[in-house]
Amino acid sequence: MLNLTEQHAADRLADDVADIDETLSELFLRIHAMRQRWPRDSDVPAVRLTLLAVDDICDSLRDAGRRAEQLRGCLRR
């Protein structure tokens, strides 16, 4: 059983992880909106390269979100 100090630290840690998870969700939604504005089949090389980079970022955010959710589950126990 956790003492009050440990419980307080665990609660703060859980809050921080929840904030990170929320920020990741906001970024993911922002990227989704960006993808809607820019056509994937653009003739502009810079747009195509940017969207490829954004896809990589999105994949990383998705992985980070899964890890944050796993961590939140562990902290709830």
Side-chain angles (χ1 to χ4, degrees), residues 1 11 14 19-21 25 30 34 53-55 67-68 77:
M1 177 134 205
D11 290 344
D19 289 344
I20 289 169
D21 193 27
S25 296
R30 188 169 180 178
M34 179 184 168
V54 166
D55 286 344
R67 288 187 182 105
R77 295 179 190 159

Side-chain angles (χ1 to χ4, degrees), residues 10-66:
D11 290 344
R12 291 201 52 202
L13 184 58
D15 289 344
D16 287 343
V17 171
D19 289 344
I20 289 169
D21 193 27
E22 184 177 317
T23 300
L24 289 170
S25 296
E26 290 171 7
L27 287 170
F28 188 78
L29 290 173
R30 188 169 180 178
I31 286 172
H32 178 70
M34 179 184 168
R35 285 174 162 171
Q36 300 303 309
R37 283 193 302 268
W38 294 97
R40 287 191 160 281
D41 58 352
S42 174
D43 292 335
V44 181
V47 172
R48 284 197 316 269
L49 289 173
T50 299
L51 289 174
L52 286 173
V54 166
D55 286 344
D56 288 344
I57 292 168
C58 194
D59 291 343
S60 295
L61 288 174
R62 194 173 289 116
D63 290 343
R66 278 194 289 267

